[in-house]
Amino acid sequence: MNPIKHTLILAALLASNTLMAQIEDRGGVVARNAELVKVKDGFTFTEGPAVNRMGDIFFTDQPNNKIYKWSAGSNEITLFKENAGRSNGMYFLLNNTLITCADEKMNFGQ
């Protein structure tokens, strides 16, 4: 077989496999037919989401110095912590302890 023709066939096969992989539903994170729903607004700048074992999502409103919790069970947002040290990035440890990065000194004695 002609090497150029062989290369073109190989390139076509790779391209078609790549295309199929991009459109194939592999059971991703978002459920089929899912819709975006705004739960609440009024935040200034949200960031740093972290998810606990129950599926609740914690996020910050960094300029307002607060951490909020979205409950997976009730679909409600509640204030989790005020005076959060202007936290932004967050992470849950295996023991369910929430760790945050903050750009303001925190006083844990309060």
Side-chain angles (χ1 to χ4, degrees), residues 31-107:
R32 187 172 286 200
N33 299 321
E35 295 181 28
L36 290 176
V37 176
K38 184 187 286 189
V39 178
K40 187 174 182 175
D41 58 9
F43 304 106
T44 302
F45 185 80
T46 60
E47 63 178 336
V51 180
N52 68 11
R53 290 182 176 188
M54 286 69 67
D56 303 323
I57 300 174
F58 292 71
F59 63 94
T60 67
D61 188 359
Q62 204 262 355
N64 292 312
N65 202 18
K66 296 177 181 178
I67 299 175
Y68 289 91
K69 173 187 168 186
W70 172 80
S71 171
S74 67
N75 194 34
E76 293 181 1
I77 294 178
T78 56
L79 180 63
F80 177 74
K81 180 160 182 56
E82 288 191 83
N83 300 318
R86 292 179 36 91
S87 295
N88 48 25
M90 299 190 293
Y91 177 80
F92 275 97
L93 298 176
L94 290 177
N95 67 1
N96 213 33
T97 300
L98 179 62
I99 303 292
T100 71
C101 297
D103 63 12
E104 181 178 278
K105 186 176 180 178
M106 297 220 21
N107 181 354

